[in-house]
């Protein structure tokens, strides 16, 4: 190329380079503009029709809004505004999940979930509930919805990034039924014992009753419930079992064993202040943003602070001027599956005790992004929706679908569920009688609620609708029942005044951690799915270790990571005969370890990897791989392993058929040695040869997953929030992992969704913390700012006095009519 040609092209190169630089600068500018434009207005003035009088929203240093209003109506209205400002995508997803409209924005991959939720009819039932509510409860829902909608109407900036990335349309108007529908989905997370019925039905295809009862042992100290022979009942219904397996895979995920929470309360005699102290940490699936949103509502007759759910106009967990309260899950048996016999000559009918009856039917249209609408017909029997009908026709068992279908009964799918109304009135209760009175309306899910007040009283009650079953019901609600046999029908609900409760106990303390809360003399059946009592025992031991407590000692209990489950199983494990130097080193380390699931230790990783391989060796052969993985999903394998280890001989129920190489040792000893070798080999592949360099916290990452971008690796690394964490399923500072996931079997998905400590001598000293940050916007500094402090069991102050709130605050926004 000639010198002249080169010289003539230099201006072109400069132009192209300048153009590229301008494009880059433009993109950078657009990014910074977009990042700022999607943030909420935190100060100044916002005009919103529908308010009665101006409202001040003061956001403290961590973004917690303190709403100072002159009426309850305006407080609920303002809560709708701040929820929409900070959690708009979360609200949109929550609404779509409950309504079964995910496919409109996520496409065909969400269709199965939509089919299931349309079949349940959560959103339809929510609309019926709204019509049954008292006028003040409807007014609160309407004020909240008006706040959401007025904010959406006046906002001018771009929507949060999820709307842009998914192509989702701007949110439709929020309606009161959307709030109730999301409340029902919260009940779903805490009520899904139907999966245990399915588990027993599946086990009956592979095991005899002796093995089923050993595999699903009763609560420690209890005898197995006597039921009819499940194998005889279900082996003729293999098609129904297959249908239910498929249904369980399209249903929204839920946990049973391992699902739980902690709360406890002590009276003034056990407190250094002379007034009660109360602690609560509900355990739920981790999400980004967090499930909870902290807020404070102040209006005449209303001054309440604590954890709200975006989509609902109330504080679910917290305190007002007079009382504090906390929940744990009772895990009641409030869901039953019924096998309905279909008339083969007329499939529109099913068999009842009185003869054939017609299914009730309705048609549903599901809009699917990029595809034609999907039409489905939903059938309902007298027991509830036919959930096997949620499956596409290609996935149904053809013969069995003509003979039997599966109906679903659930206390939350009733138009008279007044749980929202109870929660709203709880926020205003001033004493024990008003607290209990509010809970008469509480329906689902039954919760263990602890209580304390400024007058020095403490208490406990477990409100909720729990079905009463007939004495001759020989399935006890533990397995799917023949729908045509009236002895399996519910006989109403346990009367409210006969639900468990306690007021000012002599012990001056109450502890609930999902353990069995009733004694042998209690006349009603609540559940057989009590969580093993390790956390409750540990909390009680720590409370008993001090004559008096303060908030710091309560915080230390919430931070405790000693696993009593590990200390119970370790003596059996330590009897193992090592086959290698690595096994010898591992056993030596575990012999000096005391069961603390500390994030910076390597022993917890050896222990958990070993119990994973041990449970696989013991149970995978009788279960089969698919059922083994589902068992890891829904149950914990600890108690069956302990029971297996108690009889270390060739006649052991499980070891005799376990997967282990033949050797010179008794069968159980062979299983122990082989499973330790397998665990160490797996850990060396994952984390390197030096076991002393392994760290439990690095494997046990607390993963708060974003919906739906957790399924998109390129986006998940930005939207998900991951922090190394301590604990296990049975520690007070809980961290439940799922052994099913071969790629990441130790990741912590289920942990304290929030922690709170309440000081009834001065409620301004109270503290709280949740797992991510107040904002749901990835670009906000408040998106993940709490996550490390949450793992470290630190707290934010629960201030309500305005002068204290404003100190270091982010701004004051005045909402004006």
């Amino acid at each position: 190329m000639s010198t002249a040609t080169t010289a003539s092209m230099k201006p072109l190169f400069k132009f192209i380079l300048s153009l590229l630089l301008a494009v880059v600068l433009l993109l950078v500018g657009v990014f910074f503009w977009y990042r700022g434009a999607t943030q909420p207005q935190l100060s100044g003035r916002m005009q919103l029709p529908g308010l009665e009088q101006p409202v001040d929203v003061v956001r403290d240093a961590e973004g917690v809004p303190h709403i100072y209003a002159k009426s309850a109506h305006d407080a609920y209205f303002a809560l709708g505004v701040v929820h929409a400002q900070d959690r708009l995508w979360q609200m949109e997803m929550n609404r779509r999940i409950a309504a079964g409209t995910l496919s409109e924005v996520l496409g065909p991959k969400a269709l199965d979930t939509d089919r299931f939720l349309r079949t349940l009819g959560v959103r339809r039932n929510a609309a019926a509930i709204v019509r049954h509510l008292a006028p003040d409860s409807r007014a609160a829902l309407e004020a909240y919805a008006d706040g959401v909608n007025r904010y959406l109407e006046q906002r001018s900036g771009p929507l949060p990034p999820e709307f842009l990335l998914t192509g989702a349309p701007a949110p439709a108007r929020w309606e009161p039924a959307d709030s109730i529908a999301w409340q029902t989905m919260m009940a779903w997370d805490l009520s899904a014992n139907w999966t245990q019925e399915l588990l027993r039905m599946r086990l009956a295809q592979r095991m005899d009753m002796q093995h089923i009862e050993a595999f699903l042992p009763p609560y420690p100290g209890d005898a197995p419930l006597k039921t009819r022979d499940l194998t005889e009942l279900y082996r003729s219904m293999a098609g129904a079992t297959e249908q239910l397996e498929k249904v369980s895979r399209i249903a929204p995920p839920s946990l049973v064993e391992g699902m739980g929470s902690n709360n406890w309360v002590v009276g003034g005699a056990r407190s250094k202040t002379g007034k009660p102290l109360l602690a609560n940490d509900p355990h739920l699936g981790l999400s980004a943003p967090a499930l909870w949103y902290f807020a404070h509502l102040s209006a005449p007759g209303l001054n309440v602070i604590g954890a709200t759910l975006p989509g609902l106009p109330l504080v679910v967990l917290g305190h007002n001027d007079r009382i504090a309260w906390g929940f744990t899950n009772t895990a009641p048996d409030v869901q039953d599956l019924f096998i309905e016999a279909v008339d083969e000559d007329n499939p529109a009918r099913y068999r009842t005790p009185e003869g054939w009856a017609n299914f009730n039917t309705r048609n549903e249209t599901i809009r699917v992004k990029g595809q034609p609408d999907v039409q489905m017909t939903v059938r309902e029997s007298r027991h509830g929706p036919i959930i096997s009908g949620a499956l596409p026709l290609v996935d149904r068992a053809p013969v069995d679908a003509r003979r039997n279908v599966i109906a679903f009964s659930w206390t939350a799918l009733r138009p008279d569920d007044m749980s929202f109304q109870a929660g709203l009135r709880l926020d205003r209760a001033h004493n024990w009688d008003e607290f209990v009175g509010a809970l008469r309306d509480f329906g689902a899910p039954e919760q263990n609620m602890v209580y304390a007040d400024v007058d020095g009283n403490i208490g406990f009650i477990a409100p909720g609708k729990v079905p009463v079953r007939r004495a001759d019901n020989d399935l006890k609600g533990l397995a799917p029942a023949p729908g045509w046999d009236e002895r399996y029908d519910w006989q109403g609900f346990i009367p409210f005044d006969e639900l468990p409760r306690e007021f000012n106990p002599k012990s001056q303390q109450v502890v609930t951690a999902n353990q069995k809360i009733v004694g042998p003399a209690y006349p009603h059946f609540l559940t057989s799915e009590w969580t093993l009592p390790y956390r409750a025992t540990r909390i009680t031991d720590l409370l008993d270790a001090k004559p008096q407590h303060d908030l710091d000692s309560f915080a230390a209990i919430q931070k405790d990571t000693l696993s009593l489950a590990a200390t119970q199983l370790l003596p059996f494990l330590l009897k193992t005969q090592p086959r290698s130097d690595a096994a010898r080193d591992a056993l030596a380390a575990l012999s000096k370890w005391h069961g603390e699931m500390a994030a910076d230790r390597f022993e917890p990783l050896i222990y958990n990897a070993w119990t994973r391989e041990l449970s696989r060796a013991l149970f995978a052969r009788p279960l089969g791989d698919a059922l083994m993985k589902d068992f890891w999903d829904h149950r914990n394998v600890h108690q069956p392993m302990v029971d297996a280890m108690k009889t270390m001989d060739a006649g052991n129920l499980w070891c005799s058929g376990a997967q282990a190489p033949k050797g010179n040792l008794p069968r159980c000893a062979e299983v122990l040695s082989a499973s330790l070798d397998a665990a160490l080999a797996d850990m060396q592949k994952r984390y390197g040869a030096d076991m002393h360099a392994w760290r439990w916290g690095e494997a046990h990452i607390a993963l708060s997953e974003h919906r739906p971008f957790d399924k998109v690796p390129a986006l998940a690394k930005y939207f998900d929030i991951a922090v190394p964490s301590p604990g296990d399923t049975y520690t007070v500072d809980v961290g439940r992992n799922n052994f099913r996931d071969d790629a990441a079997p130790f990741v912590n998905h289920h942990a304290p969704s929030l922690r709170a400590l309440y000081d009834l001598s001065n409620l301004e000293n109270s503290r709280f913390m949740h797992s991510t940050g107040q904002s749901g916007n990835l670009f906000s500094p408040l998106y993940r700012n709490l996550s490390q402090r949450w793992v470290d069991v630190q707290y934010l102050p629960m201030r309500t006095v305005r002068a204290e709130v404003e100190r270091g605050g982010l701004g004051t926004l005045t909402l004006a009519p």
Side-chain angles (χ1 to χ4, degrees):
M1 185 178 292
S2 68
T3 304
T5 303
T6 302
S8 65
M9 293 186 68
K10 283 184 178 179
L12 179 61
F13 287 145
K14 289 182 178 179
F15 172 76
I16 293 172
L17 185 62
S18 298
L19 182 62
L20 289 174
L21 181 61
V23 170
V24 170
L25 290 174
L26 177 62
L27 291 174
V28 171
V30 168
F31 169 77
F32 280 101
W33 167 82
Y34 179 81
R35 186 176 70 172
T38 59
Q39 302 306 310
Q41 180 181 345
L42 302 183
S43 59
R45 193 174 181 86
M46 185 184 293
Q47 299 289 136
L48 294 171
L51 281 169
E52 296 170 348
Q53 297 184 67
V55 176
D56 284 346
V57 179
V58 182
R59 277 185 170 83
D60 67 20
E62 303 295 347
V64 176
H66 297 256
I67 295 168
Y68 298 97
K70 295 181 176 64
S71 70
H73 169 278
D74 285 356
Y76 299 135
F77 184 105
L79 184 61
V81 172
V82 298
H83 278 170
Q85 281 187 305
D86 286 331
R87 299 289 186 88
L88 187 59
W89 176 254
Q90 184 183 41
M91 293 176 68
E92 181 69 3
M93 284 298 288
N94 292 351
R95 168 167 57 182
R96 288 188 176 278
I97 289 169
T101 60
L102 286 172
S103 300
E104 290 184 14
V105 295
L106 302 183
K109 60 187 175 185
L111 181 57
D112 284 346
T113 301
D114 282 350
R115 291 180 65 93
F116 184 84
L117 287 161
R118 292 291 186 95
T119 300
L120 282 190
V122 169
R123 181 56 168 74
R124 293 178 72 255
N125 189 65
I129 289 173
V130 171
R131 292 192 294 270
H132 285 80
L133 292 172
D136 63 325
S137 299
R138 287 200 304 274
L141 288 167
E142 289 164 359
Y144 177 84
D146 285 346
V148 174
N149 295 327
R150 296 295 179 266
Y151 168 73
L152 292 176
E153 289 167 3
Q154 68 81 42
R155 66 181 310 280
S156 57
L159 290 164
E162 291 92 341
F163 288 91
L164 180 67
L165 292 169
T166 61
R173 290 179 57 80
W174 191 269
E175 296 181 4
D178 295 324
S179 296
I180 301 300
W182 183 241
Q183 176 185 270
T184 304
M185 293 311 299
M186 285 299 303
W188 173 264
D189 282 346
L190 298 170
S191 304
N193 62 281
W194 73 282
T195 58
Q196 304 306 293
E197 294 191 25
L198 171 58
L199 180 58
R200 286 182 174 85
M201 191 177 187
R202 294 174 70 186
L203 291 176
Q205 309 293 330
R206 305 181 66 96
M207 298 179 177
D208 58 27
M209 287 299 293
Q210 180 190 13
H211 280 78
I212 292 173
E213 290 178 356
F215 197 59
L216 301 176
Y219 189 76
D222 286 0
L225 289 174
K226 297 300 181 183
T227 65
R228 66 187 292 183
D229 190 328
L230 304 182
T231 61
E232 177 187 348
L233 176 63
Y234 297 130
R235 288 185 183 177
S236 63
M237 298 182 180
T241 305
E242 182 184 351
Q243 285 189 68
L244 265 175
E245 286 183 54
K246 292 176 179 177
V247 170
S248 70
R249 294 190 180 101
I250 68 172
S254 56
L255 300 169
V256 177
E257 190 169 319
M259 171 184 67
S261 308
N262 304 318
N263 64 25
W264 64 92
V265 60
V266 300
R270 300 292 314 282
S271 164
K272 291 180 180 179
T273 68
K275 291 287 188 178
L277 300 170
L278 189 149
N280 188 204
D281 53 291
H283 308 157
L284 295 164
L286 297 176
S287 64
L291 174 75
W292 303 103
Y293 179 90
F294 291 148
H296 167 215
L297 308 180
S298 177
L302 180 69
N303 189 37
V304 61
I305 184 172
T308 71
L309 291 169
L312 283 170
L314 75 156
V315 169
V316 179
L317 298 167
H319 77 76
N320 60 29
D321 288 339
R322 300 279 306 170
I323 72 169
W325 62 94
F327 296 177
T328 69
N329 194 27
T330 316
D333 190 342
V334 295
Q335 295 176 341
D336 275 354
L337 299 174
F338 290 90
I339 303 165
E340 307 287 17
V342 178
D343 184 350
E344 294 189 54
D345 295 327
N346 181 1
R349 301 195 307 174
Y350 68 101
R351 186 180 170 192
T352 76
E354 290 77 35
W356 297 107
N358 289 326
F359 288 106
N360 293 323
T361 62
R362 68 176 188 274
N363 295 319
E364 296 278 352
T365 300
I366 303 176
R367 295 184 174 85
V368 184
K369 183 179 179 180
Q371 291 194 359
D373 293 351
V374 172
Q375 307 293 330
M376 65 179 294
T377 299
V378 176
R379 291 179 292 176
E380 292 187 0
S381 75
R382 65 196 186 95
H383 294 118
I386 304 301
I387 59 171
S388 53
L391 294 170
L393 287 174
V394 68
D395 287 335
R396 301 181 196 175
V399 174
D400 198 71
R402 291 199 301 268
R403 296 175 181 170
N404 297 294
V405 293
I406 313 297
F408 183 77
S409 287
W410 181 26
T411 55
L413 290 181
R414 294 172 54 89
D416 61 350
D417 179 17
M418 300 291 106
S419 297
F420 168 77
Q421 189 162 291
L424 198 67
R425 293 174 180 175
L426 197 63
D427 286 356
R428 294 174 176 267
H430 291 98
N431 52 51
W432 174 252
D433 288 342
E434 292 180 7
F435 177 79
V436 171
L439 296 174
R440 286 186 176 275
D441 287 333
F442 195 84
E446 186 185 23
Q447 297 287 285
N448 305 320
M449 300 185 184
V450 294
Y451 163 96
D453 65 36
V454 296
D455 295 323
N457 300 299
I458 65 172
F460 153 79
I461 186 171
K465 289 186 181 297
V466 181
V468 173
R469 296 173 175 87
R470 282 172 44 160
D472 59 348
N473 182 336
D474 55 10
L475 290 173
K476 314 297 185 189
L478 301 183
W484 55 89
D485 191 331
E486 63 183 352
R487 65 180 149 159
Y488 301 115
D489 292 347
W490 293 353
Q491 308 298 304
F493 302 97
I494 297 174
F496 179 80
D497 291 328
E498 296 175 24
L499 292 167
R501 72 177 68 189
E502 213 173 359
F503 184 61
N504 287 333
K506 291 182 180 179
S507 64
Q508 282 285 287
Q509 71 182 41
V510 178
V511 175
T512 83
N514 318 109
Q515 82 279 18
K516 189 173 183 179
I517 59 169
V518 294
Y522 186 69
H524 301 292
F525 175 75
L526 295 176
T527 181
S528 62
E529 302 293 346
W530 308 105
T531 294
L532 293 171
Y534 298 113
R535 284 183 286 111
T537 299
R538 180 62 176 161
I539 293 167
T540 301
D541 289 346
L542 292 171
L543 288 175
D544 292 346
K546 288 177 175 284
Q548 293 183 320
H549 286 270
D550 56 20
L551 290 188
D552 288 340
S553 66
F554 269 34
I557 296 174
Q558 287 191 331
K559 196 173 183 177
D560 187 77
T561 59
L562 177 67
S563 175
L564 296 185
T567 61
Q568 182 189 31
L569 189 56
L570 269 172
F572 300 108
L573 300 182
L574 292 174
K575 296 177 182 179
T576 300
Q577 298 293 316
R579 294 174 169 174
S580 65
D581 289 341
R584 222 176 325 275
D585 289 346
L587 287 167
L590 291 178
S591 69
K592 300 173 185 176
W593 178 61
H594 302 295
E596 297 92 348
M597 295 292 169
D600 61 352
R601 302 292 301 181
F602 68 94
E603 299 94 342
L605 187 50
I606 297 173
Y607 169 81
N608 278 278
W610 191 357
T611 55
R612 180 174 189 254
E613 294 300 332
L614 177 60
S615 64
R616 191 205 307 271
L618 289 171
F619 306 129
R621 178 168 293 176
L623 288 179
D625 288 341
L627 187 50
M628 181 73 214
K629 288 188 174 183
D630 287 349
F631 183 67
W632 272 339
D633 249 350
H634 295 293
R635 303 274 308 195
N636 291 308
V637 294
H638 177 80
Q639 192 61 50
M641 280 195 299
V642 171
D643 292 343
M645 293 298 100
K646 286 178 180 177
T647 52
M648 298 276 287
D649 56 55
N652 182 284
L653 193 62
W654 301 110
C655 293
S656 59
Q659 294 171 321
K662 292 182 179 179
N664 298 321
L665 297 171
R667 195 62 174 165
C668 275
E670 291 286 351
V671 171
L672 281 169
S673 297
S675 60
L676 176 57
D677 288 344
L680 293 174
D682 184 34
M683 293 303 95
Q684 288 166 356
K685 288 179 183 177
R686 295 175 190 269
Y687 306 112
D690 183 4
M691 70 176 66
H692 294 271
W694 302 344
R695 294 294 177 263
W696 174 233
E698 294 175 11
H700 193 243
I701 294 288
L703 182 61
S704 297
E705 295 178 312
H706 179 277
R707 187 184 286 127
F709 294 156
D710 62 304
K711 308 299 184 190
V712 185
L715 295 173
K717 63 182 179 179
Y718 300 107
F719 285 87
D720 288 355
I721 299 173
V723 192
S725 68
D728 74 359
T729 296
Y730 301 109
T731 53
V732 179
D733 186 8
V734 80
R736 187 183 194 271
N737 53 290
N738 189 340
F739 284 164
R740 177 191 182 108
D741 186 353
D742 288 329
F746 309 113
V747 168
N748 176 7
H749 295 281
H750 189 264
S753 55
L754 69 89
R755 298 186 185 94
L757 303 175
Y758 304 97
D759 179 357
L760 277 297
S761 72
N762 181 359
L763 285 164
E764 291 294 296
N765 292 333
S766 302
R767 316 168 183 174
F768 57 3
M769 179 62 77
H770 68 64
S771 55
T772 60
Q774 285 288 96
S775 177
N777 188 329
L778 172 68
F779 298 126
S780 169
L782 304 178
Y783 182 71
R784 64 181 78 227
N785 62 308
L786 301 182
S787 57
Q788 187 61 54
R789 284 178 281 176
W790 166 76
V791 163
D792 294 339
V793 193
Q794 299 176 10
Y795 302 87
L796 305 178
M798 295 181 76
R799 305 293 192 206
T800 62
V801 176
R802 183 162 180 170
E804 294 295 323
V805 170
E806 289 177 335
R807 187 174 289 116
L810 301 181
T812 298
L813 176 65
T814 298
L815 309 179

